[in-house]
């Protein structure tokens, strides 16, 4: 059974940085898949922020975070990170880690919330001005 566990959320001032972590477990035979981070502000739908294919390639980003956020994958630790820099008030909310069934390459196929098969419980980010 695939499980995703997020951590790293917290409070930060606008302009600051946070690094979120997502530990992924339960995939068999090292099959490659997509892992993505989604953001949900209160009253809003869940929106994709960044995604990475565990088989390599170029990460993909939403326009709103490109140049500020960086997603990376550590295969040895089965962990996907989201480095968030120059945080803005609108970046506040819950951040969820999600993954697809393999094989799925998010670089070529994109990352939509309805395309994800597994979800973590989320981690909360607050940004104060």
């Amino acid at each position: 059974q695939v499980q995703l566990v997020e951590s790293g959320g917290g409070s930060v001032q606008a302009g600051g940085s946070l690094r979120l972590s997502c530990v992924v477990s339960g995939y068999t035979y090292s099959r490659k898949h997509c892992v993505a981070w989604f953001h949900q502000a209160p009253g809003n739908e869940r929106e994709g922020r960044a995604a990475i294919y565990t088989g390599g390639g170029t990460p993909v980003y939403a326009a709103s975070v490109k140049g500020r956020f960086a997603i990376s994958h550590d295969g040895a630790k089965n962990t996907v990170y989201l480095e968030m820099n120059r945080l803005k008030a609108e970046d506040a909310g819950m951040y969820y880690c999600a993954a697809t069934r393999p094989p799925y390459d998010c670089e070529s196929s994109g990352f939509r919330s309805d395309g994800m098969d597994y979800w973590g419980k989320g981690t909360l980010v607050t940004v104060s001005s």
Side-chain angles (χ1 to χ4, degrees):
Q1 182 179 356
V2 175
Q3 291 187 321
L4 302 97
V5 179
E6 305 96 332
S7 63
S11 297
V12 64
Q13 285 193 325
S17 299
L18 276 176
R19 188 178 79 158
L20 307 182
S21 300
C22 174
V23 178
V24 183
S25 62
Y27 282 98
T28 58
Y29 308 115
S30 299
R31 297 181 71 186
K32 306 306 179 185
H33 51 276
C34 175
V35 181
W37 284 97
F38 287 79
H39 169 242
Q40 187 168 25
N44 289 359
E45 293 185 353
R46 218 168 275 190
E47 297 180 343
R49 285 292 174 263
I52 192 165
Y53 177 53
T54 60
T58 303
V60 288
Y61 297 95
S64 59
V65 305
K66 203 165 188 177
R68 298 191 299 125
F69 289 12
I71 189 171
S72 60
H73 172 239
D74 185 333
K77 296 182 179 180
N78 291 324
T79 301
V80 173
Y81 302 98
L82 183 68
E83 185 76 35
M84 305 188 296
N85 300 306
R86 303 199 306 276
L87 282 160
K88 305 176 182 179
E90 53 264 40
D91 294 320
M94 288 295 291
Y95 281 77
Y96 296 92
C97 180
T100 63
R101 292 190 183 94
Y104 186 96
D105 183 354
C106 35
E107 182 182 359
S108 56
S109 302
F111 60 111
R112 293 173 28 165
S113 59
D114 59 1
M116 299 290 126
D117 299 295
Y118 309 103
W119 291 88
K121 294 183 178 181
T123 187
L124 180 65
V125 172
T126 58
V127 182
S128 57
S129 55

